[in-house]
Amino acid sequence: MNINLMNIALVGYRGTGKSLVGRLLALELTWVTGSAWQFVDADVEIQRVEGRTIAEIFATDGEPYFREVESQVVREVVTLPQAVLSLGGGAILRAENREALQGTCHVVWLTATPETICERLREDEKSAQQRPRLTDLPAEEEVARLLEERQPLYRACAAAMVATDDLPPETVVGHIVQSVPPQYLNQG
């Protein structure tokens, strides 16, 4: 493992808190380690690179094109020094993305029930505008089905798991910091 590339990657379905927790985690790690940690949201990076929302990418070029751009972004962001990375919910679908995480990141899987995820997504108008539905199923059925399909992949690449349903983001951050191997915190 390259000691200069030990990052923290947050994976999980959308609505599990990866972006909010990731920002707070970068601040906490900066305080704990005494050196700056950056936060990178892969979905925001994809939109920056493409100059359009994820929903627009899906509508114009389809999911296969989006997944290719996502893989390019994942390959780039895992090489950043001291970064907390928030990956899109489907980033783990591609083996090349899971492989890119191996050896460069302490991967933490954030979980929530389908009910919690749907409630959070309903409350987040921005998410609905920027991210497409992935099936024609009703929202809770879509989330439940995709979670069931993706859980083995999340589990396979995660070193730690934190259920975020009833926890404030600061508590989730505390659980993540406790799961981080000491060498990640002593990179100086």
Side-chain angles (χ1 to χ4, degrees):
M1 184 178 302
N2 185 341
I3 203 91
N4 296 320
L5 296 178
M6 292 206 276
N7 297 318
I8 313 295
L10 304 178
V11 299
Y13 201 83
R14 65 178 153 181
T16 56
K18 298 183 305 283
S19 295
L20 175 58
V21 167
R23 282 185 196 86
L24 295 173
L25 180 59
L27 291 171
E28 179 70 9
L29 290 172
T30 297
W31 183 80
V32 167
T33 64
S35 60
W37 280 71
Q38 60 185 314
F39 170 71
V40 179
D41 186 318
D43 283 349
V44 170
E45 191 61 18
I46 290 166
Q47 291 176 109
R48 185 191 65 74
V49 167
E50 286 289 308
R52 53 195 172 142
T53 68
I54 292 171
E56 291 168 334
I57 297 168
F58 266 73
T60 306
D61 297 308
E63 185 173 2
Y65 176 81
F66 169 79
R67 296 292 175 204
E68 185 58 38
V69 173
E70 181 178 54
S71 290
Q72 292 169 7
V73 167
V74 169
R75 281 192 305 272
E76 291 172 17
V77 299
V78 298
T79 66
L80 296 170
Q82 288 190 179
V84 174
L85 312 172
S86 169
L87 301 184
I92 48 81
L93 294 172
R94 283 192 160 188
E96 66 190 271
N97 294 343
R98 295 189 307 272
E99 290 167 11
L101 295 172
Q102 299 296 316
T104 60
C105 297
H106 174 70
V107 180
V108 179
W109 173 24
L110 300 185
T111 69
T113 65
E115 296 78 21
T116 298
I117 290 170
C118 288
E119 181 180 323
R120 289 176 180 169
L121 294 177
R122 278 191 294 273
E123 292 172 359
D124 183 2
E125 292 176 23
K126 184 179 170 186
S127 180
Q129 294 168 356
Q130 294 183 348
R131 292 175 177 87
R133 295 283 307 276
L134 300 176
T135 70
D136 293 330
L137 296 171
E140 284 196 23
E141 287 180 45
E142 174 181 287
V143 171
R145 188 178 106 204
L146 292 175
L147 274 176
E148 185 176 330
E149 291 172 6
R150 294 175 180 181
Q151 281 179 350
L153 299 173
Y154 290 133
R155 188 172 287 111
C157 67
M161 179 179 85
V162 180
T164 66
D165 294 280
D166 297 317
L167 297 178
E170 296 80 9
T171 303
V172 174
V173 167
H175 288 304
I176 293 170
V177 171
Q178 290 176 354
S179 79
V180 175
Q183 65 266 29
Y184 282 62
L185 304 178
N186 299 316
Q187 294 186 47

